[in-house]
Amino acid sequence: MKLDSKNNTFHIEADVNSDSNDENAEFLTLENVTPKLEKPWWRYGHLVQLNIFLLGGILAQVTSGYDGSMMNSLQSLPSWQQYFNHPSGSILSTMSNGIAIGTLITIPVAWWLCDYFGRRKTVILGCAVVILGAIIQGCAKNFGMFTGARILLGVGSCLSSAAASPLLAETAYPSQRAMVTALLVASWPLGSFTAALVTWGPYHSSMKTNNWSWRLPSLLQCFFPAIQLVIAFFGPESPRWLISKGHEDKALAIFVKYHAGGDESSKLVAYEMAEIKTIIEQERIQMKNKFAEWFKSKQRVRRFFIVCAVPAMAQLCGNALTSYYLPIVLKNIGISNPNDQLKINIGLTVYGLVWSVSVGSNVNRFPRRVMFIGGYILMCIAYVIWTALSAVNQQQNFENKGLGKGVVAMIFLFTGFYHIVSPVGSTYVMEVAPFHLRAQASTIYQLSGNIIGFFNNYVNNIAMVAITWRYYIVWCVWLVVQMNIVYWIFPETRGLGLEEVAQVFGEDVSAGYSAGDTALRYGLDVALKPSISHEESVDHDLSKQESPEVSTK
């Protein structure tokens, strides 16, 4: 099979023993079949309805974003510091790591829940656990209760996020899939901004020295999960999951309603149903032990490495320093006033939110590899300048306020550049994972990111106190390493449907193209008949009918 990059179609070379008179068969890809939207998507009622329901998945990362920003801000609140006896070192690390601990506990069952009960129900379950954890956290009486509540938050956040990625990737309108899955990560700074705001507000009110200054933000951590739970309850299940469970009629109804606006004769729906069913059946036959499938071949190992590397690299950019320990970073450059720290945190979250949503909304405009490598290069440049200014600032005993402002400016630039990379991560992982391993991939994504996050939360605050600005050099070097990992190992996937990405790893997807072509030519009923292969359908008495023209306007 060869890709015609100019026309974005695939040529399947004929078998030398085939009786077909055609030397080559040409098939359209999902991108070719998907109608181009002539108006903005919000002017199509069915897409508006679909994307509103998908908010149940998109908001899954709000909990993590909220948590990081809240823990940053709580460290600047005198009431929280006093209530918990000024936690530092391993005690502070354990409190910060509550979500990571909860995630690690949940990992062994998260993917199974996604595959057995479905993506939607797992999102709902995760949100319910987060709400419970937030309530306990806000009512915490001591260190143990506070940390235990944060572990519950990790359990719920893991379930919700692990199920949200495949739900979004498998349900979104084809031309919006990359954007929708990218916005999942873009919801992280939304939570971050909200936490910074609701923590800064009490500090400037009568609650400044009252325990409600930290209890209220803790309780409000359940606000977005509650919204997410309600939306997911009424939203659709993943059509691909439904097909895998034999509920083709339900999957077809979802595609017709949300992808075709009720048009049961839609060529797009026919192609999607045929291609998805064929590839899922092909995977079902080929895969025996799911986890062992990651190591079946060199290319599968490559996929496994990418699934593990993307979230790990997202945590190893040096961004964890500003996510959980911004007060320590600011103290190291002479900014110790709690009000100044809170204002900088709010500014960073707003800035990050704008970048993340902007990049996530346009993620399909650029190749995935370009976004990864370009973001790492820009982050590295910002970090080098940040390190140099911090070194000079310390040597001058923080007397030059301009150097401190320069460091803050570099932190802002770094944050923006980080959000070039972060939105594409979830999109990319969902693309490289085949359907039967996608729930596992989403869970491994959570596992890898949280293991590194666990490491960061224990090491970063200790290292910054011990060696201050010298610790930043580690991240400057590691960003160069990450650029090389992407360049040499990550393949490009832009422009391919979920069932079509396997070809960049050398796997055969011609059966999917063939089934899609059959559906376009002879109708969905013929394409989905398990007893009729593509070759047999050519000899079918319908073969005399002309192939319908597919509009790609």
Side-chain angles (χ1 to χ4, degrees), residues 244-435:
S244 73
K245 298 300 181 181
H247 301 299
E248 295 174 18
D249 54 338
K250 295 180 180 179
L252 178 60
I254 290 173
F255 278 138
V256 169
K257 182 176 181 179
Y258 296 113
H259 286 196
D263 181 8
E264 296 182 355
S265 62
S266 167
K267 299 292 189 297
L268 170 62
V269 171
Y271 189 96
E272 285 185 296
M273 286 293 296
E275 183 181 54
I276 292 169
K277 178 176 170 59
T278 300
I279 295 300
I280 286 178
E281 285 298 325
Q282 180 175 292
E283 289 181 12
R284 194 196 309 276
I285 294 172
Q286 294 174 345
M287 296 186 181
K288 304 299 181 183
N289 183 315
K290 280 192 174 183
F291 191 77
E293 286 300 318
W294 290 111
F295 307 98
K296 187 176 180 180
S297 65
K298 289 183 178 179
Q299 290 301 325
R300 287 289 173 86
V301 172
R302 184 184 179 191
R303 289 193 192 210
F304 182 75
F305 174 81
I306 291 171
V307 170
C308 294
V310 169
M313 289 161 62
Q315 294 289 333
L316 290 173
C317 296
N319 59 299
L321 302 186
T322 59
S323 296
Y324 276 84
Y325 299 113
L326 181 62
I328 298 177
V329 173
L330 295 178
K331 285 179 182 178
N332 283 343
I333 58 174
I335 301 176
S336 56
N337 183 280
N339 186 46
D340 291 338
Q341 293 177 356
L342 289 170
K343 287 193 292 186
I344 290 172
N345 189 34
I346 291 176
L348 277 174
T349 58
V350 174
Y351 183 71
L353 177 60
V354 172
W355 267 87
S356 195
V357 172
S358 298
V359 172
S361 299
N362 294 280
V363 70
N364 236 10
R365 293 179 179 270
F366 306 98
R368 314 289 191 245
R369 284 160 47 90
V370 169
M371 295 184 71
F372 278 120
I373 295 175
Y376 291 145
I377 290 173
L378 293 172
M379 277 190 278
C380 187
I381 293 171
Y383 235 122
V384 169
I385 299 174
W386 173 356
T387 304
L389 291 175
S390 297
V392 175
N393 196 24
Q394 186 179 39
Q395 291 173 358
Q396 296 184 5
N397 296 317
F398 310 111
E399 294 177 357
N400 188 338
K401 300 298 181 183
L403 290 173
K405 292 179 180 178
V407 172
V408 172
M410 288 304 106
I411 292 175
F412 270 82
L413 283 178
F414 171 85
T415 300
F417 299 151
Y418 173 76
H419 288 297
I420 293 176
V421 173
S422 62
V424 75
S426 179
T427 297
Y428 192 70
V429 168
M430 290 299 97
E431 288 174 341
V432 302
F435 172 79

Side-chain angles (χ1 to χ4, degrees), residues 207 394 433 521 535:
M207 291 188 292
Q394 186 179 39
R521 291 174 181 270
E535 289 78 8

Side-chain angles (χ1 to χ4, degrees), residues 427-471:
T427 297
Y428 192 70
V429 168
M430 290 299 97
E431 288 174 341
V432 302
F435 172 79
H436 281 90
L437 297 176
R438 193 164 292 135
Q440 272 196 20
S442 183
T443 305
I444 292 169
Y445 182 96
Q446 299 295 318
L447 173 64
S448 176
N450 278 276
I451 287 176
I452 300 301
F454 192 86
F455 166 82
N456 280 336
N457 286 337
Y458 268 109
V459 173
N460 284 339
N461 65 325
I462 298 172
M464 284 189 291
V465 171
I467 60 177
T468 61
W469 63 267
R470 295 171 185 83
Y471 186 50

Side-chain angles (χ1 to χ4, degrees), residues 75-111:
Q75 294 173 59
S76 299
L77 294 178
S79 59
W80 186 84
Q81 289 283 357
Q82 184 176 355
Y83 192 89
F84 290 102
N85 196 26
H86 301 276
S88 61
S90 61
I91 298 297
L92 177 59
S93 296
T94 301
M95 297 175 83
S96 298
N97 261 327
I99 280 194
I101 294 170
T103 297
L104 295 176
I105 292 173
T106 314
I107 287 299
V109 298
W111 69 268

Side-chain angles (χ1 to χ4, degrees), residues 527-539:
L528 295 184
K529 283 184 179 179
S531 59
I532 300 181
S533 66
H534 173 68
E535 289 78 8
E536 290 171 336
S537 69
V538 171
D539 295 329

